[in-house]
Amino acid sequence: NARRISRRISAPVAEIARRSGEIARGSYDIAFTASGIEELDALSASYAAMVEEIRALYLRLNTQIEVANTEISERRQAQEALQKSQQKLQAIFHHSYQFIGLLEPNGILIAANRTGLEFIGASVESVLGKPFWATPWWTHSPEIQDQLRDHLEIASKGEIIRFETTHIGHAGQSEDIDFTITPVKDEQG
């Protein structure tokens, strides 16, 4: 009698263990059959409910992973496009024959192209972050520096300024310059 009861209990327990192994390998389509033993059937039903919950979580997680991978791919593509665009802009900026610079509205120099830097024999580090009128392009004339400060103040209010001036190169050569300050607005104006 004990052997018969043992076989009757061990077979459903072994079936639960086998199905657990399949679930562990990612197979969630496992149906639990009734054993006729109330306690084991209740355990199987609880286990089946847990498997359904795990399956739903697994599907949601996979969907979220797919969405995240798509977003990562889109961001990577956008970054690559931005990088290519920046490289093109830098090529145009630095290979122009004209002097080109970018200033903050308060006149602080934030970028200067190679042509302008080579003319005065300066490194970019030696001029960036300084008031534009205090850079070597302007220091040869206090009057021109004052004029530039006045023009920058007007330009910071949105007006395009154009005037003729001179710059002294690193070899002492004087160059007449048709100088333009063009305000460029960002998203904040």
Side-chain angles (χ1 to χ4, degrees):
N1 199 19
R3 280 187 213 173
R4 184 179 56 80
I5 292 174
S6 174
R7 278 192 302 262
R8 187 168 178 231
I9 292 173
S10 66
V13 170
E15 182 65 14
I16 291 172
R18 184 187 66 76
R19 290 183 178 156
S20 294
E22 290 179 26
I23 292 166
R25 288 187 292 280
S27 179
Y28 299 111
D29 296 323
I30 306 298
F32 288 92
T33 55
S35 68
I37 301 171
E38 189 176 325
E39 292 82 4
L40 290 178
D41 288 346
L43 176 65
S44 291
S46 294
Y47 204 70
M50 183 178 69
V51 168
E52 277 304 310
E53 206 172 311
I54 290 171
R55 180 196 337 234
L57 289 170
Y58 177 79
L59 292 174
R60 271 195 312 239
L61 181 61
N62 274 345
T63 301
Q64 290 173 346
I65 289 171
E66 287 175 16
V67 167
N69 284 338
T70 300
E71 288 176 3
I72 289 169
S73 177
E74 289 171 356
R75 283 183 186 163
R76 188 175 297 126
Q77 289 173 354
Q79 272 184 321
E80 288 171 1
L82 178 61
Q83 187 176 24
K84 286 179 183 177
S85 177
Q86 287 175 336
Q87 288 171 343
K88 289 176 186 176
L89 176 62
Q90 289 295 320
I92 293 167
F93 185 76
H94 286 296
H95 291 80
S96 171
Y97 290 112
Q98 298 176 340
F99 301 172
I100 301 175
L102 296 173
L103 309 172
E104 293 287 347
N106 62 2
I108 300 298
L109 185 66
I110 58 173
N113 73 344
R114 269 188 224 137
T115 304
L117 292 168
E118 288 171 358
F119 179 77
I120 59 170
S123 69
V124 71
E125 296 82 16
S126 69
V127 295
L128 290 188
K130 292 185 177 179
F132 190 42
W133 56 87
T135 61
W137 292 284
W138 306 96
T139 54
H140 65 282
S141 170
E143 295 81 25
I144 293 176
Q145 284 179 307
D146 290 340
Q147 181 185 19
L148 176 62
R149 272 193 292 268
D150 293 342
H151 288 319
L152 286 172
E153 187 175 323
I154 294 167
S156 72
K157 295 175 183 159
E159 192 173 323
I160 295 174
I161 304 296
R162 186 171 180 195
F163 62 97
E164 289 188 16
T165 188
T166 58
H167 287 317
I168 307 296
H170 69 91
Q173 76 277 23
S174 177
E175 189 79 36
D176 291 328
I177 304 291
D178 182 13
F179 193 79
T180 304
I181 304 170
T182 305
V184 179
K185 294 184 179 187
D186 63 10
E187 298 81 26
Q188 290 81 35

